[in-house]
Amino acid sequence: MRENDTWDALPQRLPDWFRDAPLGIFIHWGPYSVPAWAEPTAELGAIESDLGWFAHNPYAEWYFNTSRIEGSPAREHHRKVHGDAPYDDFLDQWDPSAFDPAAWAELFRRAGADYVVPTTKHHDGITLWDAPGTGDRNTVRRGPRRDLVGEIARATTDAGLRFGVYYSGGLDWHVRPTEPLVSGEDVGDLKRPRDDEYGTYCSAHMRDLIDRYQPDVFWNDIGWPDENFHFEAGGLGELLEHFYSQRPEGLINDRFAGAHQDFVTTEYQAGEIPEDQPWENCRGIGLSFGYNQVEDESQYMSGAQAVRHVVDAVSKGGRVLLNVGPRADGTLPELQVAVLEALGEFMAEHKAQLAGSRGLGELEIPGARWARAVEQDGTCSVFLSGPQGDLAIGAADLPEGYDWPAGGVTVELAGEDAAPVAVSARRTDDRR
C-alpha cells in the first residue's frame, strides 16, 4: 500500500545544474547492438494506435521481443540471418574492441551536453556491470568482459559532465520471462512483473549503481513492480531515500508508476508537455535508440533538425536527452557523430542563451518558417529558420514587453536546411 504522507516526504528536486542543462546524451548499447536490426517504420507517437507497433517496432533494443513475434519482419530476419539463435549468443559475440569512452565523452562535451545517461540494464536483463544476482549474465563475466558502466562513468565525470543511469525496472525478459509483448496493455499491465521479489532484485541493482558510480540521474523505465512500493528493506521507498541521501544534487524521472518524480519525460512524439513542471524529451537521432544497421539518412535527423529540436524544447521549458546508439564494436555511427558535431557548432555560440533561460515558446513571424524565443536576464533571444535571404522583423513580431534596440532588425536566414540564426531583443517593461 502506498502511504502518501511517507512518499510525499521524499525530496522534490530541481537542482541548478539540471535546470540549466539544455541537452543530455542518452546511450543505448547492449547485446542488441550485435544484430542491430529493426524495421524502420515511424517515430513513437506518430501512429495513433499501438496495434501493429510491436510487430513492426523500430527500436532495435527491443530485438529480443520483436524477433519472437510470429509474422513480424524481425522474426523472419532472425530466422534467416541468425538461424533462430538464442538471444544470449549475442552477449557472447559482443566485442567492443574499438570502444573509447574518453573519446565519447569528449564528443558529448563538444556537442554542448551537460549530462550522460547510459543504459545499465535494458529489458533483456543483461547488465553492463557486474550486478548482484546476475551470475555470469553481464558484460564483466561474458562477452565484452568489461565494466562498461564504470568506464563510461569515469570518462563522463573526467570530461566535467554529470553522470546518470538508465535502468529498466518495469521489464526483465530473463528474470521474469513472458510471451512476446504485442500491445501497450501488455507492457503496462498484463505481462509486467508486479512481485516484491523482483522489485527487491531491481532495488539491489540500483543501490549497487548508486554506491559504485554516484549517478546524479536515476532514469527508470516502464514502471516498477507494485508489491515493492514500500519503505522496508529492499523496497522502492527505501531505495529512493538512499539515492537522495547519497546524491544531494540527484533527481529521478517520472517512470516509477506514479510513486514519485522530479521531472516529466516525453519520448519522440509521445507524451504531453506538462505545465509548470520540469520536463525532458528523449529520442534517438534516428527512429531507434539502439543502433539499427537498416537506418540511413532518410531516417536520421540532420544537424539543423537536431538544433531546432533542442531549441524548441528549451523554448517550452524543457530539455532534450538525445540518444546515440553505438555499434557493437564501440564506434559511433558517422551520421550520429555528424549530428553531434553540428550541435556542437551551434551550442558553442548559443548555449549561453539557452542555459538557464525562461522559455517564451513559438513565435509567428511572417517570412520565417520556424521561430522560437527564450529570455534570460531581460534579453529575449529569437531563433529563426526559413528560406535563404534577408528578413525584416518589427517589434510587433516579438512577445509583448520586448523591442529591438532600434525598433526593428533585419536578419539573414541561411536556408531551411541550416541551423537557425539568433537575434536579441530587450525587455521594455519591469515584468519578470
Side-chain angles (χ1 to χ4, degrees), residues 130-419:
D130 190 6
T134 57
D136 70 349
R137 200 171 182 269
N138 59 66
T139 63
V140 176
R141 304 296 179 184
R142 287 168 63 182
R145 297 191 178 275
R146 296 167 68 169
D147 177 2
L148 299 176
V149 176
E151 293 186 46
I152 295 171
R154 285 189 294 275
T156 297
T157 54
D158 286 349
L161 308 177
R162 298 276 179 162
F163 178 70
V165 291
Y166 166 105
Y167 185 85
S168 174
L171 294 174
D172 190 313
W173 297 323
H174 177 75
V175 174
R176 291 294 181 269
T178 69
E179 293 298 310
L181 309 177
V182 297
S183 70
E185 190 176 20
D186 279 352
V187 175
D189 185 21
L190 299 180
K191 295 179 181 177
R192 66 176 178 85
R194 302 172 184 270
D195 60 291
D196 186 55
E197 181 183 18
Y198 172 63
T200 301
Y201 173 82
C202 293
S203 182
H205 283 186
M206 274 308 309
R207 180 176 281 264
D208 194 50
L209 287 168
I210 294 164
D211 293 344
R212 286 201 204 196
Y213 309 116
Q214 296 83 51
D216 281 324
V217 181
F218 181 176
W219 212 103
N220 186 59
D221 202 9
I222 316 287
W224 198 268
D226 306 51
E227 294 177 10
N228 193 246
F229 278 52
H230 60 75
F231 283 79
E232 298 173 9
L236 175 61
E238 183 206 41
L239 173 63
L240 295 184
E241 285 180 332
H242 181 69
F243 173 71
Y244 284 124
S245 69
Q246 296 300 306
R247 306 306 302 153
E249 294 188 293
L251 71 171
I252 69 170
N253 70 346
D254 62 340
R255 301 193 180 194
F256 289 91
H260 188 71
Q261 68 187 50
D262 293 309
F263 66 96
V264 174
T265 59
T266 64
E267 185 168 330
Y268 283 90
Q269 299 181 40
E272 298 293 328
I273 295 174
E275 292 186 13
D276 301 322
Q277 294 184 67
W279 65 277
E280 170 195 83
N281 175 259
C282 68
R283 62 156 296 152
I285 294 174
L287 302 178
S288 175
F289 287 96
Y291 172 59
N292 183 6
Q293 61 179 305
V294 179
E295 290 187 335
D296 57 27
E297 288 184 351
S298 64
Q299 284 87 33
Y300 273 56
M301 303 172 85
S302 68
Q305 287 172 327
V307 167
R308 286 195 292 269
H309 189 67
V310 172
V311 174
D312 178 69
V314 175
S315 78
K316 297 170 182 175
R319 59 204 44 79
V320 171
L321 186 62
L322 186 65
N323 182 80
V324 295
R327 299 186 183 95
D329 67 0
T331 58
L332 295 173
E334 291 75 15
L335 290 173
Q336 296 182 26
V337 172
V339 168
L340 294 183
E341 295 286 14
L343 260 174
E345 290 181 14
F346 178 86
M347 295 289 267
E349 185 174 356
H350 298 294
K351 183 178 178 180
Q353 295 166 278
L354 299 174
S357 64
R358 180 172 69 93
L360 298 176
E362 301 182 24
L363 301 182
E364 295 291 335
I365 297 180
R369 296 270 202 274
W370 184 96
R372 303 291 187 271
V374 300
E375 183 202 38
Q376 189 169 163
D377 298 328
T379 297
C380 173
S381 297
V382 180
F383 299 87
L384 304 128
S385 286
Q388 186 171 4
D390 291 342
L391 176 66
I393 314 172
D397 298 318
L398 291 171
E400 184 180 355
Y402 298 91
D403 199 356
W404 306 108
V409 68
T410 298
V411 298
E412 183 179 353
L413 300 181
E416 297 183 61
D417 294 331

